[in-house]
Amino acid sequence: MAKSSIAEILKPAKPFLAVILMQFGYAGLSIITKVALNHGMSQHVLVVYRHAIAAIVMAPFALLFERKTRPKMTTSIFTKIVFLGLLEPVIDQNLYYSGMKFTTATFAIAMCNVIPAFAFIMAWILRLENVNIRRLHSQAKIVGTAVTVGGAMFMTMFNGPMLPLPWTNASSHHEAANAENNQVSIKGAVMITAGCVCWSCFIVLQAITLKSYPAELSLTTLICLMGTIEGGVVALALEWGNPAAWAIHLDSKLLAAVYSGVICSGIAYYIQGIVMKEKGPVFVTAFSPLSMVLVAILSSFILSEIMYLGRVLGAIIIVLGLYMVLWGKSKDQLSSEASNKVIAERDEEDMIEMNENIKMQNQELSIDGTKPKPGDESV
């Protein structure tokens, strides 16, 4: 009895915990990938290795757990999978990693906070997200999305004074500031923003595909497989005549490929699909600011990036916007459950009324059947 009650209490928290853990995974990806790129790894080759590893790891689970429940593959579903493999594994990640080479890990992950805005707008247009501008919770989602993006932009554009953290080298402040001014280039920002648009399209298309192909493990494996094939074509074209780019050893390059493949492509795609079926695409993207806060902290430790007051204030603004979006989503869920309850009660009342009508008709028929006919009356 106690175990069932605990399970019922934890059930509503599962989507939140799953998405938060996913953001921890993405935060680690930004740090590990930045280290690998700094050591000369080709971003195009990294995309191929990442999804090849993800497909190999996820395929046995898909074959084992979904062999009886996997829907039949159709031309429409296959076409969607081709586009899914092209949008996120190929276009988004190539642009994101290329932009990261021109910027810092914190800047790259901060730019990703435009994803909730793009995903919200596209989900709204495609009617995957319920929005009624007259209702307060819908206004909270719209304003919260704008505040979240505004906080990310504030964190990116405004540095402010340096925070004298004990583990950072204050003597390298001037050198780091000059390096950062060079790194945060318009070219890198445009690449990352374009990648975020593709990532938002991927999330919305994944939500649509799951309605006709509700097999998360199989869909994840197929997306990674398609991303490996399509990314391999792109990498061969861009790294033609450079076989050294494909060389990999027991170093940060191998760690980046394995970590990104297993954690951020295989497991993350699967968790994302499960949560998306219950909460929708906007709920998944609303948590992306958390990874930026984590990267800002971790990068100051691992990559010796300087922490500025502007980044801390921007993180606070982002968290406020995030809570506004989540509050709106929670009210959406409550109103949906209430409407479903009303519909169920109406259906139950209609069923009871129908049964009573049928019962009355049967009684009338039985009474009519017992009445003697005019010709049968005795003289």
Side-chain angles (χ1 to χ4, degrees):
M1 189 72 178
K3 290 183 179 179
S4 61
S5 62
I6 293 172
E8 290 177 359
I9 293 171
L10 292 177
K11 187 177 180 181
K14 285 182 179 179
F16 294 89
L17 294 174
V19 178
I20 289 171
L21 290 174
M22 193 170 68
Q23 294 305 319
F24 272 91
Y26 284 137
L29 171 69
S30 297
I31 301 298
I32 295 171
T33 301
K34 182 62 177 177
V35 173
L37 293 175
N38 288 344
H39 284 82
M41 186 174 193
S42 169
Q43 64 269 30
H44 313 300
V45 174
L46 174 59
V47 170
V48 179
Y49 285 155
R50 168 177 174 170
H51 293 95
I53 292 171
I56 292 170
V57 171
M58 299 301 293
F61 295 99
L63 293 172
L64 180 62
F65 294 109
E66 294 179 347
R67 65 180 185 275
K68 295 181 180 180
T69 60
R70 189 182 303 110
K72 184 179 179 181
M73 180 62 66
T74 63
T75 305
S76 174
I77 295 172
F78 179 76
T79 303
K80 291 174 184 174
I81 292 172
V82 170
F83 278 104
L84 285 169
L86 186 65
L87 282 170
E88 206 282 321
V90 181
I91 301 177
D92 169 41
Q93 290 184 23
N94 275 289
L95 288 172
Y96 179 78
Y97 291 148
S98 298
M100 187 183 283
K101 279 193 169 184
F102 294 100
T103 62
T104 63
T106 304
F107 181 85
I109 201 72
M111 290 297 294
C112 290
N113 289 284
V114 297
I115 291 175
F118 292 143
F120 176 76
I121 293 169
M122 284 186 283
W124 185 4
I125 293 172
L126 297 173
R127 297 183 179 180
L128 297 174
E129 186 72 18
N130 295 322
V131 177
N132 187 349
I133 299 177
R134 295 180 180 179
R135 292 186 176 271
L136 182 61
H137 56 83
S138 292
Q139 295 172 2
K141 289 193 293 185
I142 295 171
V143 175
T145 301
V147 171
T148 300
V149 176
M153 296 300 100
F154 181 87
M155 185 178 182
T156 302
M157 302 300 177
F158 177 73
N159 284 333
M162 182 190 71
L163 297 179
L165 301 176
W167 54 84
T168 56
N169 187 4
S171 62
S172 62
H173 175 217
H174 182 69
E175 181 181 351
N178 290 335
E180 188 174 24
N181 289 333
N182 293 328
Q183 289 169 338
V184 182
S185 64
I186 297 176
K187 185 177 180 180
V190 170
M191 285 182 173
I192 295 171
T193 304
C196 290
V197 174
C198 294
W199 172 249
S200 302
C201 295
F202 170 83
I203 291 174
V204 174
L205 183 57
Q206 186 184 14
I208 295 171
T209 307
L210 283 169
K211 293 182 179 179
S212 56
Y213 195 79
E216 294 86 359
L217 288 169
S218 300
L219 182 61
T220 297
T221 304
L222 292 171
I223 291 172
C224 293
L225 178 61
M226 196 58 62
T228 304
I229 297 170
E230 296 170 347
V233 174
V234 173
L236 286 172
L238 296 176
E239 298 292 347
W240 188 261
N242 185 22
W246 297 87
I248 197 165
H249 306 285
L250 293 173
D251 53 11
S252 60
K253 299 178 183 179
L254 178 62
L255 177 62
V258 174
Y259 180 91
S260 61
V262 176
I263 304 297
C264 299
S265 285
I267 296 176
Y269 287 174
Y270 173 65
I271 292 176
Q272 186 173 284
I274 292 177
V275 176
M276 201 180 296
K277 286 174 69 175
E278 181 180 350
K279 295 290 187 178
V282 175
F283 179 86
V284 175
T285 58
F287 283 81
S288 58
L290 294 180
S291 61
M292 179 202 61
V293 177
L294 294 171
V295 170
I297 297 170
L298 292 173
S299 61
S300 67
F301 282 97
I302 300 171
L303 300 176
S304 299
E305 292 184 2
I306 304 299
M307 183 70 70
Y308 296 97
L309 178 62
R311 291 180 179 175
V312 176
L313 295 176
I316 294 172
I317 297 172
I318 286 168
V319 171
L320 291 175
L322 175 63
Y323 277 112
M324 292 177 69
V325 175
L326 293 179
W327 181 83
K329 288 293 294 180
S330 65
K331 294 299 180 183
D332 269 349
Q333 188 174 4
L334 290 174
S335 62
S336 177
E337 290 175 354
S339 61
N340 291 336
K341 186 177 179 180
V342 170
I343 292 171
E345 290 176 352
R346 287 178 181 174
D347 291 341
E348 188 177 355
E349 290 174 358
D350 292 341
M351 186 64 68
I352 293 171
E353 185 178 354
M354 187 183 298
N355 290 333
E356 290 178 352
N357 291 334
I358 293 171
K359 188 176 179 181
M360 291 177 63
Q361 289 175 2
N362 290 334
Q363 289 176 351
E364 291 175 358
L365 289 173
S366 63
I367 292 171
D368 292 340
T370 56
K371 289 181 179 179
K373 295 181 181 179
D376 294 340
E377 294 179 358
S378 57
V379 177

Coordinates of all heavy atoms in Angstrom, one line a residue, residues 205-276:
L205 N 8.4 18.0 -35.5 CA 8.2 16.8 -36.4 C 8.3 15.5 -35.7 O 7.5 14.6 -36.0 CB 9.3 16.9 -37.5 CG 9.1 15.8 -38.6 CD1 7.8 15.9 -39.3 CD2 10.2 15.9 -39.7
Q206 N 9.1 15.4 -34.7 CA 9.1 14.2 -33.9 C 7.8 13.9 -33.2 O 7.3 12.8 -33.1 CB 10.3 14.2 -32.9 CG 10.5 12.9 -32.1 CD 11.6 13.0 -31.0 OE1 12.0 14.1 -30.7 NE2 12.0 11.9 -30.5
A207 N 7.2 15.0 -32.6 CA 5.9 14.9 -32.0 C 4.9 14.4 -32.9 O 4.0 13.6 -32.6 CB 5.6 16.2 -31.3
I208 N 4.9 14.9 -34.2 CA 3.9 14.5 -35.2 C 4.2 13.1 -35.6 O 3.2 12.3 -35.7 CB 4.0 15.5 -36.4 CG1 3.6 16.9 -36.0 CG2 3.2 14.9 -37.6 CD1 3.9 17.9 -37.1
T209 N 5.4 12.7 -35.7 CA 5.7 11.3 -36.2 C 5.3 10.3 -35.1 O 4.9 9.2 -35.5 CB 7.3 11.2 -36.5 OG1 7.6 12.2 -37.4 CG2 7.6 9.8 -37.1
L210 N 5.5 10.6 -33.8 CA 5.1 9.7 -32.8 C 3.6 9.3 -32.7 O 3.3 8.3 -32.2 CB 5.6 10.2 -31.4 CG 7.1 10.2 -31.1 CD1 7.4 11.0 -29.9 CD2 7.5 8.7 -30.9
K211 N 2.8 10.2 -33.3 CA 1.4 9.9 -33.3 C 1.1 8.8 -34.3 O 0.2 8.0 -34.0 CB 0.6 11.2 -33.8 CG 0.7 12.3 -32.7 CD -0.2 13.5 -33.2 CE -0.1 14.6 -32.1 NZ -0.9 15.8 -32.6
S212 N 1.8 8.7 -35.4 CA 1.6 7.6 -36.3 C 2.6 6.4 -36.2 O 2.4 5.3 -36.7 CB 1.7 8.1 -37.8 OG 2.9 8.8 -38.0
Y213 N 3.7 6.7 -35.4 CA 4.7 5.6 -35.2 C 5.1 5.6 -33.7 O 6.2 6.1 -33.4 CB 5.9 5.9 -36.1 CG 6.8 4.7 -36.2 CD1 6.5 3.6 -37.1 CD2 8.0 4.6 -35.5 CE1 7.4 2.6 -37.2 CE2 8.9 3.6 -35.6 CZ 8.6 2.5 -36.5 OH 9.4 1.5 -36.6
P214 N 4.2 5.2 -32.8 CA 4.4 5.3 -31.4 C 5.4 4.2 -30.8 O 5.0 3.5 -29.9 CB 3.0 5.1 -30.8 CG 2.3 4.3 -31.8 CD 2.9 4.6 -33.1
A215 N 6.5 4.2 -31.4 CA 7.6 3.2 -30.9 C 8.9 4.0 -30.7 O 9.6 4.2 -31.6 CB 7.8 2.1 -31.9
E216 N 9.1 4.5 -29.5 CA 10.1 5.5 -29.2 C 11.5 4.9 -29.5 O 12.4 5.5 -30.1 CB 10.1 5.9 -27.8 CG 8.8 6.8 -27.4 CD 7.7 5.9 -27.0 OE1 7.8 4.6 -27.0 OE2 6.6 6.4 -26.7
L217 N 11.8 3.6 -29.0 CA 13.1 3.0 -29.2 C 13.4 2.8 -30.7 O 14.5 3.1 -31.2 CB 13.2 1.7 -28.5 CG 13.2 1.8 -27.0 CD1 13.0 0.4 -26.3 CD2 14.6 2.4 -26.5
S218 N 12.4 2.3 -31.4 CA 12.6 2.1 -32.9 C 12.8 3.4 -33.6 O 13.7 3.5 -34.5 CB 11.4 1.3 -33.5 OG 11.3 0.1 -32.8
L219 N 12.0 4.4 -33.3 CA 12.1 5.7 -33.9 C 13.5 6.3 -33.7 O 14.1 6.9 -34.6 CB 11.0 6.6 -33.5 CG 11.0 8.0 -34.1 CD1 10.8 7.9 -35.6 CD2 9.9 8.9 -33.5
T220 N 14.0 6.2 -32.4 CA 15.3 6.7 -32.1 C 16.4 6.0 -32.9 O 17.3 6.7 -33.4 CB 15.5 6.5 -30.6 OG1 14.6 7.2 -29.8 CG2 16.9 7.0 -30.2
T221 N 16.3 4.7 -33.0 CA 17.3 4.0 -33.7 C 17.3 4.4 -35.2 O 18.4 4.5 -35.8 CB 17.0 2.5 -33.6 OG1 17.0 2.1 -32.2 CG2 18.1 1.6 -34.3
L222 N 16.1 4.5 -35.8 CA 16.0 4.8 -37.2 C 16.5 6.2 -37.5 O 17.1 6.5 -38.5 CB 14.6 4.7 -37.7 CG 14.1 3.2 -37.7 CD1 12.6 3.2 -38.0 CD2 14.8 2.4 -38.8
I223 N 16.2 7.2 -36.5 CA 16.7 8.6 -36.7 C 18.2 8.6 -36.7 O 18.9 9.2 -37.5 CB 16.1 9.5 -35.6 CG1 14.6 9.7 -35.8 CG2 16.8 10.8 -35.6 CD1 14.0 10.4 -34.7
C224 N 18.8 7.9 -35.7 CA 20.3 7.8 -35.6 C 20.9 7.1 -36.8 O 22.0 7.6 -37.3 CB 20.7 7.1 -34.3 SG 20.2 8.0 -32.8
L225 N 20.3 6.1 -37.3 CA 20.8 5.4 -38.5 C 20.7 6.3 -39.7 O 21.7 6.4 -40.5 CB 20.0 4.1 -38.7 CG 20.4 3.3 -40.0 CD1 21.8 2.8 -39.9 CD2 19.4 2.1 -40.1
M226 N 19.6 7.0 -39.9 CA 19.5 7.9 -41.0 C 20.5 9.1 -40.9 O 21.0 9.5 -41.9 CB 18.1 8.4 -41.1 CG 17.7 9.0 -42.4 SD 17.9 7.9 -43.8 CE 16.7 6.6 -43.4
G227 N 20.7 9.5 -39.6 CA 21.6 10.6 -39.4 C 23.0 10.2 -39.7 O 23.8 11.0 -40.2
T228 N 23.4 8.9 -39.4 CA 24.7 8.4 -39.8 C 24.9 8.4 -41.3 O 26.0 8.8 -41.7 CB 24.9 7.0 -39.2 OG1 24.6 7.0 -37.8 CG2 26.3 6.5 -39.4
I229 N 23.9 7.9 -42.0 CA 24.1 7.8 -43.5 C 24.2 9.2 -44.1 O 25.1 9.5 -44.9 CB 22.9 7.0 -44.0 CG1 22.9 5.6 -43.5 CG2 22.9 7.0 -45.6 CD1 21.7 4.8 -43.8
E230 N 23.2 10.1 -43.7 CA 23.2 11.4 -44.3 C 24.4 12.2 -43.9 O 25.0 13.0 -44.7 CB 21.9 12.1 -44.0 CG 20.7 11.4 -44.5 CD 19.3 12.0 -44.0 OE1 19.4 12.7 -43.0 OE2 18.3 11.7 -44.5
G231 N 24.7 12.1 -42.6 CA 25.9 12.8 -42.1 C 27.2 12.3 -42.7 O 28.1 13.1 -42.9
G232 N 27.2 11.0 -43.0 CA 28.4 10.4 -43.6 C 28.7 11.0 -45.0 O 29.8 11.3 -45.4
V233 N 27.6 11.2 -45.7 CA 27.7 11.8 -47.1 C 28.3 13.2 -47.0 O 29.2 13.7 -47.7 CB 26.3 11.8 -47.8 CG1 26.4 12.6 -49.1 CG2 25.9 10.4 -48.0
V234 N 27.7 14.0 -46.0 CA 28.2 15.4 -45.8 C 29.6 15.4 -45.4 O 30.4 16.2 -45.9 CB 27.3 16.1 -44.8 CG1 27.8 17.5 -44.4 CG2 25.8 16.2 -45.3
A235 N 30.0 14.6 -44.4 CA 31.4 14.5 -43.9 C 32.4 14.1 -45.0 O 33.5 14.7 -45.1 CB 31.5 13.6 -42.7
L236 N 32.0 13.2 -45.8 CA 32.9 12.7 -46.9 C 33.1 13.9 -47.9 O 34.2 14.1 -48.4 CB 32.3 11.5 -47.6 CG 32.4 10.2 -46.9 CD1 31.6 9.1 -47.6 CD2 33.9 9.7 -46.7
A237 N 32.1 14.6 -48.1 CA 32.2 15.7 -49.1 C 33.0 16.9 -48.5 O 33.9 17.5 -49.2 CB 30.8 16.3 -49.5
L238 N 32.9 17.2 -47.2 CA 33.6 18.3 -46.6 C 35.0 17.9 -46.2 O 35.9 18.8 -46.1 CB 32.8 18.9 -45.4 CG 31.4 19.5 -45.8 CD1 30.7 19.9 -44.5 CD2 31.6 20.7 -46.7
E239 N 35.2 16.7 -45.9 CA 36.6 16.2 -45.5 C 37.3 15.4 -46.5 O 38.1 14.6 -46.2 CB 36.4 15.4 -44.2 CG 35.9 16.2 -43.0 CD 36.8 17.3 -42.5 OE1 38.0 17.3 -42.9 OE2 36.3 18.1 -41.7
W240 N 36.9 15.6 -47.8 CA 37.5 14.9 -48.9 C 39.0 15.2 -49.0 O 39.4 16.3 -49.0 CB 36.8 15.2 -50.2 CG 37.2 14.3 -51.4 CD1 38.1 14.6 -52.3 CD2 36.7 13.0 -51.6 NE1 38.2 13.6 -53.2 CE2 37.4 12.6 -52.8 CE3 35.8 12.2 -51.0 CZ2 37.2 11.3 -53.3 CZ3 35.6 10.9 -51.6 CH2 36.3 10.5 -52.7
G241 N 39.8 14.1 -49.1 CA 41.2 14.3 -49.2 C 41.9 14.6 -47.8 O 43.1 14.9 -47.8
N242 N 41.1 14.4 -46.7 CA 41.7 14.5 -45.4 C 41.4 13.3 -44.5 O 40.5 13.4 -43.6 CB 41.1 15.8 -44.7 CG 41.7 16.1 -43.4 OD1 42.8 15.6 -43.1 ND2 41.0 16.9 -42.6
P243 N 42.0 12.2 -44.8 CA 41.7 10.9 -44.1 C 42.1 11.0 -42.6 O 41.5 10.3 -41.8 CB 42.6 9.9 -44.8 CG 43.6 10.6 -45.5 CD 43.0 12.0 -45.8
A244 N 43.0 11.9 -42.2 CA 43.4 12.1 -40.8 C 42.2 12.6 -40.0 O 42.2 12.4 -38.8 CB 44.6 13.1 -40.7
A245 N 41.2 13.2 -40.6 CA 40.1 13.7 -39.8 C 39.3 12.6 -39.2 O 38.6 12.8 -38.2 CB 39.2 14.6 -40.7
W246 N 39.4 11.4 -39.8 CA 38.6 10.2 -39.4 C 39.3 9.4 -38.3 O 38.7 8.5 -37.7 CB 38.2 9.3 -40.5 CG 37.4 10.0 -41.6 CD1 37.8 10.8 -42.6 CD2 35.9 10.0 -41.6 NE1 36.7 11.3 -43.3 CE2 35.6 10.8 -42.7 CE3 35.0 9.4 -40.8 CZ2 34.2 11.0 -43.1 CZ3 33.6 9.6 -41.2 CH2 33.3 10.4 -42.3
A247 N 40.6 9.8 -38.1 CA 41.4 9.0 -37.1 C 40.9 9.3 -35.7 O 40.6 10.5 -35.4 CB 42.9 9.4 -37.2
I248 N 40.8 8.3 -34.8 CA 40.3 8.5 -33.5 C 41.1 7.6 -32.5 O 41.5 6.5 -32.9 CB 38.8 8.2 -33.4 CG1 38.2 8.8 -32.1 CG2 38.5 6.7 -33.5 CD1 36.7 8.9 -32.1
H249 N 41.4 8.1 -31.4 CA 42.2 7.4 -30.4 C 41.6 7.4 -29.0 O 40.5 8.0 -28.9 CB 43.7 8.0 -30.3 CG 44.3 8.0 -31.7 ND1 44.8 6.9 -32.3 CD2 44.5 9.1 -32.5 CE1 45.4 7.3 -33.5 NE2 45.2 8.6 -33.6
L250 N 42.2 6.9 -28.0 CA 41.7 6.9 -26.7 C 42.0 8.3 -26.0 O 42.9 8.5 -25.2 CB 42.3 5.8 -25.8 CG 41.9 4.4 -26.2 CD1 42.8 3.4 -25.4 CD2 40.5 4.1 -26.0
D251 N 41.2 9.3 -26.5 CA 41.4 10.6 -26.0 C 40.0 11.3 -25.9 O 39.0 10.7 -25.9 CB 42.4 11.4 -26.9 CG 41.9 11.3 -28.3 OD1 40.8 10.9 -28.6 OD2 42.7 11.7 -29.2
S252 N 40.1 12.6 -25.8 CA 38.8 13.4 -25.7 C 37.9 13.3 -26.9 O 36.7 13.4 -26.8 CB 39.1 14.9 -25.5 OG 39.9 15.4 -26.6
K253 N 38.5 13.0 -28.1 CA 37.7 12.8 -29.3 C 36.8 11.6 -29.2 O 35.6 11.6 -29.5 CB 38.6 12.7 -30.5 CG 39.5 13.9 -30.8 CD 40.4 13.7 -32.0 CE 41.3 14.9 -32.2 NZ 42.2 14.8 -33.3
L254 N 37.4 10.5 -28.7 CA 36.6 9.2 -28.5 C 35.5 9.4 -27.4 O 34.4 9.0 -27.6 CB 37.5 8.1 -28.2 CG 36.8 6.7 -27.9 CD1 36.1 6.3 -29.1 CD2 37.8 5.7 -27.4
L255 N 35.9 10.1 -26.4 CA 35.0 10.4 -25.3 C 33.8 11.2 -25.8 O 32.6 11.0 -25.4 CB 35.7 11.1 -24.1 CG 34.8 11.5 -23.0 CD1 34.2 10.3 -22.3 CD2 35.6 12.4 -21.9
A256 N 34.1 12.2 -26.6 CA 33.0 13.1 -27.2 C 32.1 12.3 -28.0 O 30.9 12.4 -28.0 CB 33.6 14.2 -27.9
A257 N 32.6 11.4 -28.9 CA 31.8 10.6 -29.8 C 30.9 9.6 -29.0 O 29.7 9.5 -29.2 CB 32.7 9.8 -30.7
V258 N 31.5 8.9 -28.0 CA 30.7 7.9 -27.2 C 29.7 8.6 -26.3 O 28.5 8.2 -26.3 CB 31.7 7.1 -26.4 CG1 30.9 6.2 -25.4 CG2 32.6 6.3 -27.3
Y259 N 30.1 9.7 -25.6 CA 29.2 10.4 -24.7 C 28.0 11.0 -25.5 O 26.9 10.8 -25.1 CB 30.0 11.5 -23.9 CG 29.1 12.2 -23.0 CD1 29.0 11.8 -21.6 CD2 28.4 13.4 -23.4 CE1 28.2 12.5 -20.7 CE2 27.6 14.1 -22.5 CZ 27.5 13.7 -21.2 OH 26.7 14.4 -20.3
S260 N 28.3 11.7 -26.5 CA 27.3 12.3 -27.3 C 26.4 11.3 -28.0 O 25.1 11.5 -28.0 CB 27.9 13.3 -28.4 OG 28.7 12.5 -29.3
G261 N 26.9 10.2 -28.4 CA 26.1 9.2 -29.1 C 25.2 8.5 -28.1 O 24.0 8.3 -28.3
V262 N 25.7 8.0 -27.0 CA 24.9 7.2 -26.0 C 24.0 8.1 -25.2 O 22.7 7.9 -25.2 CB 25.8 6.4 -25.1 CG1 25.0 5.7 -24.0 CG2 26.7 5.4 -25.8
I263 N 24.5 9.2 -24.6 CA 23.7 10.0 -23.7 C 22.8 11.0 -24.5 O 21.6 11.1 -24.2 CB 24.6 10.8 -22.8 CG1 25.5 9.8 -22.0 CG2 23.8 11.7 -21.8 CD1 24.8 8.9 -21.1
C264 N 23.4 11.7 -25.4 CA 22.7 12.9 -26.0 C 21.9 12.6 -27.3 O 21.1 13.4 -27.8 CB 23.6 14.0 -26.3 SG 24.4 14.6 -24.7
S265 N 22.2 11.4 -27.9 CA 21.4 11.0 -29.1 C 20.5 9.8 -28.8 O 19.3 9.9 -28.9 CB 22.3 10.7 -30.3 OG 22.9 11.8 -30.9
G266 N 21.1 8.8 -28.3 CA 20.3 7.6 -28.0 C 19.3 7.8 -26.8 O 18.1 7.8 -27.0
I267 N 19.8 8.0 -25.6 CA 19.0 8.1 -24.5 C 18.1 9.4 -24.5 O 16.9 9.4 -24.2 CB 19.8 8.1 -23.2 CG1 20.5 6.7 -23.0 CG2 18.9 8.3 -21.9 CD1 21.4 6.6 -21.9
A268 N 18.7 10.5 -24.9 CA 18.0 11.8 -24.9 C 16.8 11.7 -25.9 O 15.7 12.2 -25.6 CB 18.9 12.9 -25.3
Y269 N 17.0 11.2 -27.1 CA 15.9 11.1 -28.1 C 14.8 10.3 -27.6 O 13.6 10.6 -27.7 CB 16.4 10.5 -29.4 CG 17.3 11.4 -30.3 CD1 17.9 10.9 -31.4 CD2 17.5 12.7 -29.9 CE1 18.7 11.7 -32.2 CE2 18.3 13.5 -30.7 CZ 18.9 13.0 -31.9 OH 19.7 13.8 -32.6
Y270 N 15.2 9.2 -26.9 CA 14.1 8.3 -26.3 C 13.3 8.9 -25.2 O 12.1 8.9 -25.2 CB 14.8 7.0 -25.8 CG 13.9 6.1 -25.1 CD1 12.9 5.4 -25.7 CD2 14.1 5.8 -23.7 CE1 12.0 4.5 -25.1 CE2 13.2 4.9 -23.0 CZ 12.2 4.3 -23.7 OH 11.4 3.5 -23.1
I271 N 14.0 9.6 -24.3 CA 13.4 10.3 -23.2 C 12.5 11.4 -23.7 O 11.4 11.6 -23.3 CB 14.4 10.8 -22.2 CG1 15.1 9.7 -21.4 CG2 13.7 11.8 -21.2 CD1 16.2 10.1 -20.5
Q272 N 13.1 12.1 -24.7 CA 12.3 13.2 -25.3 C 11.0 12.8 -25.9 O 10.0 13.4 -25.8 CB 13.2 13.8 -26.4 CG 12.7 15.1 -27.0 CD 13.8 15.7 -27.9 OE1 14.7 16.3 -27.5 NE2 13.6 15.5 -29.2
G273 N 11.1 11.6 -26.6 CA 9.9 11.1 -27.2 C 8.8 10.7 -26.2 O 7.6 11.0 -26.4
I274 N 9.2 10.0 -25.1 CA 8.3 9.6 -24.1 C 7.6 10.8 -23.4 O 6.4 10.9 -23.3 CB 9.0 8.7 -23.0 CG1 9.4 7.4 -23.7 CG2 8.1 8.5 -21.8 CD1 10.2 6.5 -22.7
V275 N 8.4 11.8 -23.0 CA 7.9 13.0 -22.4 C 7.0 13.8 -23.3 O 6.0 14.3 -22.9 CB 9.0 13.8 -21.8 CG1 8.5 15.1 -21.2 CG2 9.8 13.1 -20.8
M276 N 7.4 13.8 -24.6 CA 6.7 14.6 -25.6 C 5.3 14.1 -25.8 O 4.3 14.9 -26.0 CB 7.4 14.7 -26.9 CG 7.1 15.8 -27.8 SD 8.1 15.7 -29.3 CE 9.7 15.9 -28.7

